Amino acid sequence: MGTAEQDFSFRSIALPAILPTLAFSLGEGAIIPIIPVVANSLGASLAVAGLIASMIMLGELFGDIPSGWIVSRIGERTAMIYAALLSIVGLVTALLAPNPWVLGVGILAIGLSTAVFALARHAFMTSFVPRAYRARALSTLGGTFRFGYFVGPFISAAVIHLTGSTQSVFWVHIVGCATAAILLLVLRDPTEQLAVSRAPAVMREGEKLVADEAHGLFRSIWNSRAVLARLGTGAALIGAMRASRQVILPLWAVSIGIPDAQTALIIGAAGAVDFALFYASGQIMDRWGRLWSALPSMIGLGIGHLILAFTHDVPGAVAWFIAAAIFMSLANGVGSGILMTLGADLADPRDPAPFLGAWRFTGDAGSAAAPLAVSAVVAAASIAVASGVMGVVGLIGAGILLRYVPRFAPHRR
């Protein structure tokens, strides 16, 4: 097979996953920084706004449980279409929400759909991209997701500026989900394109992978309790710090009075730094070991939170906010892909799926818990105290990673 034919095959198989993912990610990147802002505009306090923002991570955690079964039951492509439609239902609910609690229900539905969509697109690439191209395809898929988080906030800023309504940002994701569903329907099914025939009872590789991950999830967690109690705690704290960053930054902007559109622009500019480093992170891990990516990332996220904690009421608070946002994006970018890489390192190569399901659930549990913790501390004390607490958590996480990454995931030349 010639190079041109191979490239054509790769494009024809990968594009039905990459283009819909780009549309979906742009929409999600547009709304995530704005959710606490919308909640605040509907009358929510800072603490309640943080709670509403946490609903998307909580939805993803709950969605992790049935998503493998759903994808294996109805197929990768169909699961992505239905996930996009569920997200539209959640977005319309959020768009029309008369109060923060209805908004929270809509955001929870978006989180559930995101979990199914993310797992289905991974399974899709596993099924239809040949092994020779799979690494670059999955890397491109991950970069597409980060690109959406980079560009989405700029789209939000433009929409807020044009409409004068913060809630109108949900239209961006509605369009993104509708575009993703249409692309999945219009682009040729790889099963037909590759003339793949199979009995209905026979699963494709990606479907089997996600089914194996989901089957006996809690039993897999128990069986892997030794490593999850150690390095898994570090993984959960990585997820927690990343999720805290996504909630703290827009809440902080609200608390110091930054306009909505300007908030989106600042977070989008910081996202550019994050996006620019996703390839460099892989190079660091491959050349010097996993610890050299994980440790600077956690230390940086911890320090970034501590910077915010001490600069809320000082002169130039906006400048400090911008500096902290960029610094945390730099730290997050250095750690791009660390959770997936550590999970792959630790999984049994003969049967990796059960451990990978438990590992991903552990990381998502941290992502869901952190915004809830931030909201609770804001309610009990202040947003500055919440940021300081998360900064300390980040430094503790760095210590856990320093202790256990060399033991459980040593770098091998």
Side-chain angles (χ1 to χ4, degrees), residues 63-89:
D64 280 344
I65 299 171
S67 57
W69 179 86
I70 292 170
V71 173
S72 63
R73 182 106 176 159
I74 66 176
E76 311 95 324
R77 200 160 175 263
T78 305
M80 283 192 281
I81 293 170
Y82 281 121
L85 295 178
L86 173 61
S87 196
I88 290 174
V89 172

Side-chain angles (χ1 to χ4, degrees), residues 328-348:
M328 282 195 276
S329 292
L330 176 66
N332 194 58
V334 169
S336 298
I338 185 62
L339 289 180
M340 288 189 294
T341 304
L342 286 174
D345 287 343
L346 296 166
D348 183 347

Side-chain angles (χ1 to χ4, degrees), residues 280-304:
S281 172
Q283 292 285 346
I284 291 170
M285 285 187 280
D286 284 341
R287 287 176 180 269
W288 294 293
R290 311 328 187 199
L291 189 63
W292 287 95
S293 172
L295 195 61
S297 180
M298 283 295 279
I299 292 173
L301 287 170
I303 291 174

